[in-house]
Amino acid sequence: MLETKQLNINDVLTNAADFLVQFSGVKEVYSSYRLLLGSWTPEIEKIRNSYHRKRSGDLRIEVLPGWTMVDKVSLTNKVVRKTNILLPLIFFGGNVKSDVIATPVTLDHLSATVAGVLKIRGPNGCSA
């Protein structure tokens, strides 16, 4: 449909992001074009590192803290306390006991901790 109307996909994504950011409860909207080719900022760096061109969507919406996100599939409600990307981390191996940690941990702290447990030097970009 975009080809028949001769629309530029980057313009469509930019206009959609500009439209969505006007909704109440939306902190920021990042388009795939902005994440792949946009200028560098410290905020965008963390999002850009978790973005994959083939697996991620066209738009990423950040919700303001205090708003409730409703998942209609699993019928769960989640109040946004801080805008972060939740993902599971699973370790397999000998002498690793199962545990669930509910405290949010940023990636820069996680990489330093894992490097310390494995007794290897931390990553070059590690700042924590």
Side-chain angles (χ1 to χ4, degrees):
M1 184 170 144
L2 292 175
E3 292 84 16
T4 59
K5 294 193 178 199
Q6 297 179 345
L7 296 174
N8 185 355
I9 186 69
N10 300 330
D11 293 338
V12 171
L13 289 175
T14 303
N15 290 339
D18 291 342
F19 174 71
L20 289 173
V21 81
Q22 295 175 18
F23 283 87
S24 57
V26 176
K27 179 179 179 183
E28 186 69 48
V29 179
Y30 300 98
S31 67
S32 57
Y33 179 77
R34 181 177 170 195
L35 290 175
L36 288 173
L37 302 173
S39 60
W40 182 91
T41 62
E43 297 83 24
I44 256 185
E45 178 187 20
K46 295 176 184 177
I47 298 168
R48 186 179 283 173
N49 288 340
S50 66
Y51 178 81
H52 190 274
R53 184 176 54 87
K54 293 183 179 179
R55 291 188 297 256
S56 300
D58 292 328
L59 296 170
R60 182 180 187 279
I61 301 172
E62 274 189 35
V63 180
L64 285 170
W67 285 79
T68 302
M69 295 181 58
V70 178
D71 186 356
K72 292 182 180 181
V73 176
S74 63
L75 301 174
T76 58
N77 296 343
K78 179 182 180 262
V79 177
V80 176
R81 301 284 180 220
K82 184 177 177 186
T83 54
N84 57 3
I85 301 169
L86 299 176
L87 58 105
L89 179 64
I90 302 169
F91 292 106
F92 290 102
N95 298 329
V96 177
K97 296 183 170 113
S98 64
D99 194 8
V100 175
I101 300 172
T103 306
V105 178
T106 59
L107 190 58
D108 53 350
H109 288 91
L110 183 67
S111 59
T113 303
V114 170
V117 168
L118 297 175
K119 295 184 172 101
I120 60 174
R121 187 171 61 92
N124 290 339
C126 184
S127 60

